[in-house]
Amino acid sequence: MKRIETKIDRVCVEIEGRVYVLAEKTIAVAEALRHVRRKYRDAPGYRLWLAELRILLDKRAMNKLFSYGDRENLDRMQRIHGGVLRAFEYNAAQMEEERLAAALRQLCRAGEAPVISRSDAQEREG
């Protein structure tokens, strides 16, 4: 029997030394993102970035991150937008896989676990 874990941790991002909690991945949030993508389809990219970030981050975070108005650095904004979007779209299975891989690497560095190649692991499974 395969156990299915349904506990989903909130996704957080660290930007400039501060941690921000992203919106939960709900139908409402997915629909809001879909709506702004249609609305800003022909607008400058930064308008879409800001609209998506307003959905994914709370108002306090937006005020903290983007307080310069029309003097905001677009490269910085694009980098924040890309990172937040990647974190939001990241799925739980990928997160768990990376967590386990990091733990294994740490054990290998400490000399406490053997290094197993992907082909070795597949042979052992099947």
Side-chain angles (χ1 to χ4, degrees), residues 3 21 34 63 79 98 114 121-122:
R3 182 171 173 246
V21 179
R34 193 168 73 86
N63 290 338
R79 190 169 288 175
E98 283 190 13
Q122 288 170 344

Side-chain angles (χ1 to χ4, degrees), residues 1-13:
M1 179 179 292
K2 176 73 174 159
R3 182 171 173 246
I4 298 173
E5 180 60 55
T6 60
K7 182 181 181 289
I8 307 294
D9 294 326
R10 295 292 300 265
V11 176
C12 299
V13 293

Side-chain angles (χ1 to χ4, degrees), residues 76-124:
R76 177 180 171 273
M77 184 185 296
Q78 183 178 25
R79 190 169 288 175
I80 290 170
H81 172 264
V84 166
L85 211 55
R86 274 190 304 279
F88 179 76
E89 292 173 349
Y90 198 69
N91 87 31
Q94 289 171 300
M95 188 180 306
E96 181 64 10
E97 184 177 312
E98 283 190 13
R99 187 188 69 72
L100 292 172
L104 182 59
R105 280 192 305 274
Q106 187 175 15
L107 288 171
C108 290
R109 278 195 297 267
E112 297 177 17
V115 177
I116 301 172
S117 71
R118 185 175 294 244
S119 59
D120 289 342
Q122 288 170 344
E123 285 177 15
R124 290 178 184 180

